[in-house]
Structure formats: structure tokens, C-alpha cells
Amino acid sequence: MSLLLPAQCQITGASTVKVGDSLQLMSNTAAKCIDCYRWNVSSDELLHIQSSAEGKIILKALKAGTINVNLTVETADGKFTCEKNVEIQNPSPVKEKQCDIEISDFKDVKVDDSTMSFFPDKISQKYFYYWQATYSDGSIKESEEKIPQFPNSPSAIINTVLVKIINKSSNCFSVITRTYDEKFWFPKVEKVEQRKYIQGSYQQIQSKTRQF
């Protein structure tokens, strides 16, 4: 009967990534606990683990080459292992060009409790803009506005924001990518316990001390 069962573990996500970019991979297997996912890469020199949470992992491509990503999942039915090969490619010559694009960074601004806005450090009519926000569940939202707005909440957290700036005259482009984690958007504030002192109790202790 075991031969008829489908594969119990699979890693989903892109199989290629450019040097300097980030890659998110996910597991389709439900583990028996939050910490029951064990991710591993065959070489830290090529692909660096930026963050991992439950069945998701974000990797940073450092050098060109082929690397193996391995995942072990402990489930209610036992332990399963799966792997995925990822090809890391050098950026294309077009992407490496300066392209006379003056924009080198972008900022994030909170619009309200569930909306974030992003805008380049310089706004110019010389460019087209393409924005892409990737979420923790793997979903993607896109915009061609100069200053887009994307939803962002504990139930739908933005992991990566990418902007592609295209020079209208030369049609060349530049890409800027920024990666975030849950703690950046929603930092956990530890509660500080405050003790309450009652003046009557303090006076009572004072009077007893005087008796000695």
C-alpha cells in the first residue's frame, strides 16, 4: 500500500535566481509543530539563509552555480525529506548597466495599520515603474504606480518588495529589491510588570520599624 501513496514532501518555488536577489521557497507538507521544519543548503558560499519560519525560507543568492536545498519535516505520520536544486545565475548585462537611472533606493511609509506605501528616493517623469510585493504565503501583488500602496497585516505579511525602474528613452532598466521579516513590520513588545505601592502599607511598615 505504501507504494501507492503520493510523495509526502515537496519544495515549491522558483528553480533559478540571479546573484544579489532573494528567493523564497515553501513546503507543501504540514508538520506536527512549528519547529519541525529543518532547512539546509549544500553551500553557504552560494546561497545564504536570510530567514526561515515554519514551512517557508528566504535565501540570498551570493555566487553563480547550482546548489541543493534540503528539507526534513517531522509530521504526525513520521519524518519526510525532500530536496530541490536551485541554479544561481549572474545578472544580465542589461541589468548591470547604470542606464542613467538616478534612483538608487526606495522608502517605505505606513499609511495606516494595514497599508504600506513605497516610493523611490527620487521621482522623475523619465521612468516607468513596476512594483512587486511578495507575501509570506507566496502570493504576489503588482503595481505600475510611481508610489504604490500594498496591504500589509499580521495575516498577510510582506516579505519582499521589488521595483523595476525603466528608462523611457533608452528602454534599459534597474532593479532594486528589499527583504523584510515579520519583526520589522510587527515588532513584539514585551510587557513590563509594574508593582503598585500602597501608601498605607508603607506607613504601617515604617511604624513597625520604629518600635525596634
Side-chain angles (χ1 to χ4, degrees), residues 134-150:
T134 303
Y135 290 79
S136 55
D137 61 359
S139 62
I140 294 175
K141 293 188 181 298
E142 301 173 339
S143 174
E144 295 183 2
E145 299 289 335
K146 291 184 180 68
I147 304 176
Q149 293 185 2
F150 294 113

Side-chain angles (χ1 to χ4, degrees), residues 65-207:
T66 301
I67 194 169
N68 180 268
V69 180
N70 182 276
L71 171 64
T72 300
V73 185
E74 294 183 28
T75 73
D77 297 324
K79 184 182 293 185
F80 299 96
T81 301
C82 50
E83 59 183 6
K84 182 183 184 71
N85 287 328
V86 175
E87 182 183 355
I88 306 169
Q89 303 172 345
N90 284 317
S92 63
V94 174
K95 188 175 179 180
E96 292 175 348
K97 290 173 59 179
Q98 291 299 321
C99 196
D100 296 328
I101 292 178
E102 302 170 356
I103 299 170
S104 59
D105 198 5
F106 63 84
K107 300 180 181 179
D108 47 77
V109 175
K110 185 176 182 180
V111 179
D112 53 43
D113 290 339
S114 59
T115 309
M116 291 299 303
S117 180
F118 301 88
F119 60 94
D121 54 4
K122 292 183 181 180
I123 302 295
S124 174
Q125 298 296 326
K126 297 190 299 183
Y127 311 123
F128 293 116
Y129 302 87
Y130 166 76
W131 295 84
Q132 183 183 86
T134 303
Y135 290 79
S136 55
D137 61 359
S139 62
I140 294 175
K141 293 188 181 298
E142 301 173 339
S143 174
E144 295 183 2
E145 299 289 335
K146 291 184 180 68
I147 304 176
Q149 293 185 2
F150 294 113
N152 190 42
S153 65
S155 59
I157 300 173
I158 296 175
N159 277 156
T160 305
V161 175
L162 173 150
V163 58
K164 182 177 181 180
I165 307 123
I166 305 169
N167 190 314
K168 293 180 181 179
S169 59
S170 61
N171 205 34
C172 62
F173 64 89
S174 175
V175 175
I176 305 171
T177 305
R178 185 178 295 171
T179 301
Y180 305 88
D181 57 26
E182 182 179 2
K183 293 180 181 179
F184 179 88
W185 297 122
F186 306 102
K188 294 182 180 179
V189 179
E190 296 183 0
K191 294 183 179 179
V192 178
E193 182 181 355
Q194 296 182 349
R195 297 183 178 179
K196 185 176 182 181
Y197 295 91
I198 302 174
Q199 187 174 1
S201 300
Y202 176 72
Q203 291 175 346
Q204 186 177 4
I205 294 171
Q206 259 193 336
S207 62

Side-chain angles (χ1 to χ4, degrees), residues 24-36:
Q24 177 175 277
L25 300 177
M26 300 175 61
S27 169
N28 67 343
T29 306
K32 66 179 182 180
C33 65
I34 295 178
D35 298 326
C36 290

